[in-house]
Amino acid sequence: MNESDFIAALRTLPLHAGARALEDDCAVLELGGETLILTHDMMAEGTHFLANQDMADVAWKLVATNLSDLAAKGAEPVGVMLGHCLSADDERFLIGLHEALNQFEVPLLGGDTISAGASRVFGLTAIGRATHLPVPDRGLAKPGDAVFVTGTLGRAMLGLEEIGSGSENDLAYRRPAPLLAEGRALAPHVSAMMDVSDGLLLDSWRIAVASKVTLQLDSAAFPVADQARLDECIRWGDDYELLFTAPEDCRLPVPAHRIGKVEKQGPAPLRVDGKILTPEDGIGYRHG
Amino acid sequence: MNESDFIAALRTLPLHAGARALEDDCAVLELGGETLILTHDMMAEGTHFLANQDMADVAWKLVATNLSDLAAKGAEPVGVMLGHCLSADDERFLIGLHEALNQFEVPLLGGDTISAGASRVFGLTAIGRATHLPVPDRGLAKPGDAVFVTGTLGRAMLGLEEIGSGSENDLAYRRPAPLLAEGRALAPHVSAMMDVSDGLLLDSWRIAVASKVTLQLDSAAFPVADQARLDECIRWGDDYELLFTAPEDCRLPVPAHRIGKVEKQGPAPLRVDGKILTPEDGIGYRHG
């Protein structure tokens, strides 16, 4: 059973209405006059980090990736719960965790610490508070909207090749920053929004599918770190930029690149320079 | 670094006030007009389950142990977030998960599914809503209170020896039931409460330490599944009964055994039949 099969099977279980049919990165829970945003991401050795990687970076990234999901919902972080398997480098893990909690001003709420032999698997649940309703969603892109992405794509990919160099790319890979302020500023303006964790093309395809529209993208407008490697930059994940759709004439509160437009649902969810691309064409990072 | 050292280090990080200094099983989050209870427990192969165990039982137990933490807070479950490492027995895992969600009437809110090689580590975050304020806590036992425990201790221990037999003990080990209704009924009456996950003695010691009192227990009153193995029954965990303190003259809404009394803080947190016992004496299950 691969990841897609497993998630499809989960969809047949009793789901909370706020689970958004498991089609989004976060759950949305209305409770006590507030709207809570909940997300849980895991990281495992061999899949999400290398055995010899600095565990301070792993802990930082565990926090950052979860907060990035909150950022794409325009949410303000409330706290995090840590699921931790004890391992040899726990001192470094704690240093990175401390740095990330300080940097993003989010406190620890609790969690669990276990012995799991040689397994290095970590989980984090991040809890946030919505700052704008409706909460941005993957599924609300509308025909006529423009498609935007913040920042530069491919930095994390280049960073993995330059790991430990201290370069801007290296930091983009090891110490990504969730765009929390940008997400909050954008939330009132966007129709759909998500963070680019699995590559620009795959994540664009996901917005299109969830919104039942076609995204028509223009490759000349893609903001990539290395033009000579454009194809890779838009297929690699880990950049944590914000990908969103908004009305053509919207005055955006943060800088972003206009990379295409939303059209009525055509024969395929995604076209780049007019050409149909599907997940079978290897458009991004897919797990297991 | 063992579990205690790691948790001690976590206490030096920025903590949310609702983290209760990481001295409780749950975080308590006041939000709008509601009080949320959050808990996260992990299970790993080799530590919490055996390689050849039915993964349906593992999934059930993952849900049940987390809901048991909510039960001890008198909370009503709202939903759960699953952190799942894909493995060979995912079909069975899904069956057990489905059965548990149905049985305890709690919906799935979301989570994450990853590939983690051969690692079988699972996490669950359970979210509940407090039904009584103040939320029961380990740290509120008062001198003069009596000490109570529900049910029978040692069933899960015997069940592991009889695994697969279908006996009552077998089910107690494989399919524990969180005492949600009992916890809600007790919440208005108790001073301190927790679930017995790591053994009666160790968990009693924890209440005493958190409450800065001494618990004086009477071994003749311990409700154990096998009197000849009393020492083991009160040191083994996994029973998920409720251990609590309440005023002597309290009329309890659910059946429970009176096993001792709370005294002012003496030279040691725990005495059984007058004899001091400490964690160094091997009084329960400690990880890592």
Side-chain angles (χ1 to χ4, degrees):
Chain A
M1 202 174 251
N2 65 21
E3 183 189 6
S4 303
D5 296 338
F6 188 81
I7 294 172
L10 288 179
R11 290 200 180 100
T12 69
L13 306 189
L15 297 186
H16 193 285
R20 293 186 162 190
L22 307 181
E23 277 168 356
D24 214 320
D25 291 320
C26 295
V28 176
L29 197 59
E30 283 164 37
L31 205 83
E34 292 262 13
T35 300
L36 273 189
I37 311 293
L38 298 158
T39 187
H40 180 81
D41 274 345
M42 298 179 96
M43 291 177 67
E45 182 177 316
T47 305
H48 304 87
F49 59 93
L50 308 172
N52 61 358
Q53 220 167 307
D54 181 354
M55 294 304 287
D57 292 337
V58 172
W60 174 288
K61 205 155 176 175
L62 183 66
V63 177
T65 56
N66 275 283
L67 295 185
S68 180
D69 285 331
L70 295 187
K73 298 283 164 265
E76 177 183 70
V78 171
V80 298
M81 313 269 293
L82 172 69
H84 185 81
C85 296
L86 294 164
S87 83
D89 293 328
D90 283 336
E91 285 80 3
R92 291 294 304 160
F93 188 95
L94 285 160
I95 287 170
L97 180 63
H98 198 165
E99 289 169 342
L101 296 179
N102 274 342
Q103 178 68 32
F104 309 131
E105 295 180 344
V106 57
L108 188 65
L109 268 165
D112 196 19
T113 302
I114 64 166
S115 300
S119 293
R120 293 208 290 188
V121 177
F122 309 105
L124 197 91
T125 303
I127 297 112
R129 183 187 279 120
T131 62
H132 179 79
L133 299 179
V135 174
D137 183 307
R138 290 185 189 183
L140 294 172
K142 286 174 190 57
D145 285 348
V147 183
F148 299 90
V149 68
T150 61
T152 304
L153 303 167
R155 285 214 186 288
M157 174 187 84
L158 297 173
L160 181 57
E161 298 169 6
E162 303 165 15
I163 198 162
S165 69
S167 68
E168 194 181 348
N169 292 334
D170 173 41
L171 287 173
Y173 176 73
R174 293 192 298 112
R175 300 282 172 133
L179 301 178
L180 288 159
E182 291 83 349
R184 283 199 295 271
L186 285 167
H189 302 279
V190 304
S191 43
M193 183 154 65
M194 67 185 291
D195 65 328
V196 185
S197 52
D198 292 340
L200 176 69
L201 294 185
L202 182 55
D203 288 335
S204 296
W205 183 87
R206 286 171 171 158
I207 283 185
V209 169
S211 299
K212 298 187 174 59
V213 294
T214 290
L215 261 57
Q216 183 80 253
L217 304 184
D218 172 16
S219 68
F222 292 158
V224 293
D226 183 348
Q227 202 65 40
R229 297 173 66 185
L230 182 138
D231 281 357
E232 293 167 84
C233 289
I234 58 175
R235 283 169 172 79
W236 227 83
D238 265 4
D239 282 314
Y240 307 105
E241 295 296 342
L242 293 173
L243 171 66
F244 59 96
T245 57
E248 281 279 2
D249 58 356
C250 175
R251 287 174 64 100
L252 296 176
V254 300
H257 308 274
R258 189 190 178 291
I259 58 168
K261 58 189 174 177
V262 182
E263 297 180 344
K264 275 197 296 189
Q265 190 167 30
L270 180 66
R271 283 178 186 266
V272 176
D273 303 335
K275 181 171 177 282
I276 290 174
L277 288 179
T278 72
E280 287 64 44
D281 300 323
I283 60 173
Y285 184 76
R286 306 189 92 191
H287 309 268
Chain B
M1 200 174 252
N2 65 20
E3 183 188 7
S4 303
D5 297 336
F6 188 81
I7 294 172
L10 287 180
R11 288 197 180 104
T12 69
L13 305 190
L15 297 186
H16 193 286
R20 294 185 161 193
L22 307 182
E23 277 168 357
D24 213 320
D25 291 320
C26 294
V28 177
L29 196 59
E30 283 166 37
L31 201 87
E34 292 263 12
T35 299
L36 272 189
I37 311 294
L38 297 158
T39 185
H40 180 80
D41 274 345
M42 297 179 98
M43 291 177 66
E45 182 177 316
T47 305
H48 303 88
F49 59 93
L50 309 171
N52 61 357
Q53 220 167 310
D54 182 354
M55 293 304 287
D57 292 337
V58 172
W60 174 288
K61 205 156 177 173
L62 183 67
V63 177
T65 54
N66 275 283
L67 295 185
S68 180
D69 286 330
L70 295 188
K73 298 283 164 266
E76 176 183 73
V78 171
V80 297
M81 313 270 294
L82 172 68
H84 185 80
C85 295
L86 293 164
S87 83
D89 293 327
D90 283 336
E91 286 80 4
R92 291 293 304 159
F93 188 96
L94 285 160
I95 287 170
L97 179 64
H98 198 167
E99 288 169 344
L101 297 179
N102 274 341
Q103 178 68 32
F104 310 131
E105 295 180 343
V106 56
L108 188 64
L109 267 165
D112 195 20
T113 303
I114 65 166
S115 300
S119 294
R120 293 208 290 187
V121 177
F122 309 106
L124 199 91
T125 303
I127 298 114
R129 183 189 279 124
T131 61
H132 180 81
L133 297 180
V135 174
D137 183 307
R138 289 184 188 184
L140 294 173
K142 285 176 191 54
D145 285 347
V147 183
F148 299 91
V149 68
T150 60
T152 305
L153 303 166
R155 285 213 185 289
M157 174 188 83
L158 298 173
L160 180 57
E161 298 170 7
E162 302 165 17
I163 197 163
S165 69
S167 69
E168 194 181 348
N169 293 335
D170 173 41
L171 287 173
Y173 175 72
R174 293 191 300 111
R175 299 282 172 134
L179 300 179
L180 289 160
E182 292 83 349
R184 282 199 294 272
L186 286 167
H189 302 280
V190 303
S191 43
M193 182 155 65
M194 67 184 292
D195 66 328
V196 185
S197 52
D198 292 340
L200 176 69
L201 294 184
L202 181 54
D203 288 334
S204 296
W205 182 86
R206 287 172 171 157
I207 283 185
V209 170
S211 300
K212 298 188 172 60
V213 295
T214 290
L215 261 59
Q216 183 81 254
L217 304 185
D218 172 15
S219 69
F222 292 158
V224 293
D226 183 348
Q227 202 63 41
R229 297 175 65 183
L230 182 137
D231 280 356
E232 292 168 86
C233 289
I234 58 175
R235 283 170 172 80
W236 227 83
D238 265 4
D239 280 315
Y240 306 105
E241 296 295 341
L242 293 173
L243 171 67
F244 59 96
T245 56
E248 281 277 3
D249 57 356
C250 175
R251 289 174 62 99
L252 296 176
V254 300
H257 308 273
R258 189 189 178 292
I259 58 168
K261 58 190 175 178
V262 182
E263 298 181 343
K264 276 197 295 188
Q265 189 167 27
L270 180 67
R271 284 179 186 266
V272 177
D273 303 334
K275 180 168 177 287
I276 290 174
L277 288 179
T278 72
E280 287 63 45
D281 301 322
I283 60 172
Y285 185 76
R286 306 189 94 190
H287 309 272

